[in-house]
Amino acid sequence: MTATPPALNALLRAAGLRLSRIGRSLWGGWAGLAGLALIAALWQAGHEHYGAFILPAPLETARTALRLLGTPASWQIIAETLLRAGAGFCGAVCLGVSAGIAAGYSPATLRLARPVLTVITGVPPIAWLVLAMLWLGPGDGTVLLTVLIAALPVIFVAAAEGIGTRDRGLDAMATAFGATALHRLWLLGLRHCLIPLFPALTLALGGAVKVAVMAELLSNAGGIGGALALSRAALDVPAALAWVVIAVASLITLEYAVLRPLQAETEVWRDAARPWGVRRAALPPAPSRP
Amino acid sequence: MAAALTLTGIGHAFLGRTILDGISLTVNPGEVVALAGPSGCGKSTLAHIAAGVLAPLRGHRDLPGGRCGMVFQDPRLLPWATAADNIALPLRLSGVPRRDRRSRVEAVARQVALLPEDLDRYPAELSGGMRQRTAIARALADGPPVILFDEPFTALDPALKRRMQDLVTDAAATARFAALFITHDLQEAARIAHRIVVMNPDGRGLTGECRPPGQPGQRDDGAVFAFVRAALSSSPLFAHLNDLDERRLP
Ligand SMILES: Nc1ncnc2c1ncn2[C@@H]1O[C@H](COP(=O)(O)OP(=O)(O)OP(=O)(O)O)[C@@H](O)[C@H]1O
Ligand SMILES: [Mg+2]
């Protein structure tokens, strides 16, 4: 056996740690799966009570969904919705995070922004949709704008909150060591910002997919919402339910494939701070071979 | 010889209440100056002004070296960064390239008796003493000409406190930095300082200063004890040191 050089060793170790972290965040999905099984059980009970026309069985729905997924056209429909939701969500993240950071550093701006946000959150998404349709006509732009407006407030508030509740002691420390305002933003502000931001992002992503489907359905813009509208017109309940399942499944995939690993990556130190933290026994030293 | 840190006529007020007035103080290169004064007289405020964290209302702060390090009463480590990254913060701020940082970090960590395996831990995984040593290592990291200490050891147990004091004395002697060491523990001041400066209890000016005999690090416990006892019993300089200013108890 050849000895691995220390640099390679360290690299392997870092890669191993990262993999185990991703693995752990995926493992967290099992608990969610148990919850899903519970929902399926209730669903089955409802099916048996109300009959197949009102509520098709979960298995049948799953079969329909799988059949739908077998056709490339469906994938195109899904991609359309996810791209719109994703674009609106990303726009909301860019706008919300930068505006939130600015507001977090300036309490006066935050005080000004709060009532505006209350108004924005108070207007139902459907009203934005109508306005967007009037402004932009049916199509990508309308869905995108509705998604953006729906996702923006929660992201903005979280970012502002993260900055506003930052540890001033750390700011003073960094200043004493000669940090400029930009350094402090980069080294301290953004890190504080991330703490409330991730839960908000999860919330906003869910909202983005939901609102995208709704906007598509109502504005006749294709995508999963459009497919839902078609199944409704054809009174095809299994297909409608299958599309709902597909929408939820793609949301869960996005959340667990993108957001959770990112969050796990930025919050390694929290694991260390937990009392049950990384409590693995030290590895025994490798036996030296003659 | 140009001073490492000069404060001239410093005055400050919080919400219209004057906390400091007319404080002038110089610290020479390589000199450890202890600043003593009763609780609440404005020592921390002065330290923050000296560090450039607070802009003084009146007066002038001159730091010819341009940069300084500081050790606060609490460690103030970044919770999301490992000990090594925390120690490297000043290096990062002054633009030292990443590959050069590690060796410097390891050198100062050795100086404060932190083990290499502790360097990859997060602050939450370190003991209180290790955290404070990490904070000291951070202050030493880029070899600043001046380091400010704001009662850094008050939360530590006596044995650890002594070790930390010796560490500061040794580091000051080897790295030749000037230090302003704030404390209200005269024993501590007498162990580590070349010169002890006492602030007025109301923060308006300095009462005076004295030099304990000998050099820091060479005074034995007996000498320190004798100095403190004499100072507290007979010197008017230290008469108000243990007064309870604002927290007047019944
Ligand atoms: N940010 C602030 N706003 C208003 N008043 C303040 C502020 N910081 C300090 N003070 C007041 O300034 C006075 C001096 O405070 P400072 O922290 O400088 O005292 P200190 O000498 O360091 O005391 P100690 O020895 O207890 O640490 C205190 O009366 C305190 O109430
Ligand atoms: Mg203080």
Side-chain angles (χ1 to χ4, degrees):
Chain A
M1 198 179 87
T2 53
T4 41
L8 185 64
N9 231 335
L11 203 73
L12 284 176
R13 214 175 105 81
L17 276 178
R18 186 144 303 166
L19 269 179
S20 84
R21 229 177 290 142
I22 292 175
R24 229 176 317 145
S25 64
L26 286 180
W27 183 247
W30 280 111
L33 219 57
L36 289 183
L38 186 68
I39 293 177
L42 288 176
W43 181 352
Q44 179 71 30
H47 160 71
E48 280 164 22
H49 191 260
Y50 290 108
F53 182 71
I54 306 281
L55 197 61
L59 263 182
E60 193 199 333
T61 311
R63 240 175 269 131
T64 317
L66 280 181
R67 205 189 60 235
L68 282 174
L69 289 183
T71 59
S74 316
W75 285 100
Q76 221 159 11
I77 290 174
I78 296 169
E80 196 171 16
T81 300
L82 289 189
L83 278 180
R84 285 166 176 164
F89 175 75
C90 289
V93 170
C94 293
L95 266 177
V97 169
S98 44
I101 287 174
Y105 277 111
S106 135
T109 319
L110 192 56
R111 271 196 291 276
L112 266 177
R114 280 213 183 262
V116 178
L117 282 178
T118 313
V119 171
I120 294 183
T121 13
V123 178
I126 198 99
W128 291 116
L129 177 62
V130 171
L131 287 178
M133 272 164 73
L134 289 177
W135 292 333
L136 304 172
D140 280 349
T142 302
V143 179
L144 228 142
L145 185 67
T146 318
V147 168
L148 193 143
I149 291 175
L152 192 61
V154 57
I155 296 178
F156 173 87
V157 170
E161 202 76 0
I163 299 280
T165 57
R166 71 190 185 276
D167 185 344
R168 315 286 158 129
L170 290 182
D171 265 1
M173 180 276 294
T175 312
F177 282 100
T180 60
L182 207 62
H183 278 137
R184 289 202 301 276
L185 168 67
W186 182 245
L187 293 174
L188 308 172
L190 289 184
R191 284 317 285 246
H192 280 116
C193 194
L194 286 181
I195 296 169
L197 193 59
F198 269 110
L201 287 183
T202 315
L203 209 66
L205 186 66
V209 173
K210 268 187 293 190
V211 170
V213 171
M214 182 202 72
E216 284 169 347
L217 192 148
L218 294 173
S219 72
N220 218 348
I224 295 180
L228 263 177
L230 283 181
S231 351
R232 190 203 51 182
L235 288 184
D236 187 352
V237 184
L241 269 181
W243 278 114
V244 172
V245 167
I246 288 176
V248 173
S250 40
L251 171 63
I252 292 176
T253 314
L254 272 187
E255 184 180 328
Y256 279 87
V258 183
L259 278 186
R260 296 290 164 129
L262 271 180
Q263 183 171 17
E265 196 62 23
T266 58
E267 297 195 343
V268 191
W269 60 280
R270 281 174 181 275
D271 275 353
R274 281 189 195 119
W276 60 84
V278 193
R279 211 163 25 179
R280 256 173 263 125
L283 292 172
S288 55
R289 287 168 193 232
Chain B
M1 186 164 60
L5 169 71
T6 314
L7 300 171
T8 17
I10 295 287
H12 198 70
F14 281 117
L15 309 169
R17 192 162 69 94
T18 302
I19 303 293
L20 294 173
D21 201 19
I23 306 255
S24 298
L25 179 68
T26 52
V27 183
N28 292 317
E31 185 186 33
V32 177
V33 175
L35 180 68
S39 184
C41 71
K43 302 181 299 291
S44 293
T45 310
L46 190 66
H48 282 95
I49 289 172
V53 175
L54 270 178
L57 213 57
R58 285 178 297 279
H60 182 66
R61 150 191 183 259
D62 191 23
L63 191 69
R67 58 211 166 102
C68 65
M70 184 155 178
V71 183
F72 296 82
Q73 184 156 0
D74 45 337
R76 297 205 185 178
L77 302 175
L78 309 180
W80 52 78
T82 58
D85 289 341
N86 267 295
I87 297 173
L89 181 78
L91 302 172
R92 188 166 172 185
L93 290 174
S94 56
V96 175
R98 190 181 290 269
R99 60 181 178 284
D100 301 342
R101 285 183 212 153
R102 185 72 196 194
S103 57
R104 181 66 197 145
V105 166
E106 276 167 6
V108 282
R110 223 173 299 122
Q111 220 176 333
V112 300
L114 275 178
L115 299 175
E117 62 256 36
D118 294 334
L119 285 179
D120 291 322
R121 299 209 182 149
Y122 291 95
E125 299 172 287
L126 299 174
S127 75
M130 285 162 149
R131 279 180 224 162
Q132 199 56 296
R133 273 181 280 165
T134 309
I136 297 172
R138 175 176 63 189
L140 298 173
D142 71 337
V146 181
I147 300 183
L148 305 159
F149 294 86
D150 184 7
E151 306 192 39
F153 307 143
T154 31
L156 304 182
D157 68 79
L160 195 55
K161 198 168 177 171
R162 281 178 68 93
R163 272 185 64 193
M164 296 291 142
Q165 290 165 355
D166 294 341
L167 200 154
V168 169
T169 311
D170 291 347
T174 47
R176 302 271 316 144
F177 57 78
L180 182 62
F181 194 104
I182 292 171
T183 176
H184 49 221
D185 178 357
L186 195 52
Q187 183 103 18
E188 181 168 69
R191 285 197 79 213
I192 66 168
H194 293 94
R195 183 156 62 99
I196 302 177
V197 176
V198 183
M199 250 171 98
N200 278 340
D202 59 1
R204 292 164 200 258
L206 301 174
T207 315
E209 60 173 60
C210 74
R211 281 173 187 278
Q215 288 295 310
Q218 289 160 6
R219 303 176 187 128
D220 61 24
D221 285 348
V224 169
F225 189 69
F227 170 81
V228 171
R229 202 165 56 170
L232 285 179
S233 61
S234 58
S235 167
L237 192 56
F238 299 105
H240 297 289
L241 194 58
N242 294 322
D243 283 4
L244 293 167
D245 167 51
E246 49 189 344
R247 288 174 285 167
R248 260 182 268 266
L249 301 175

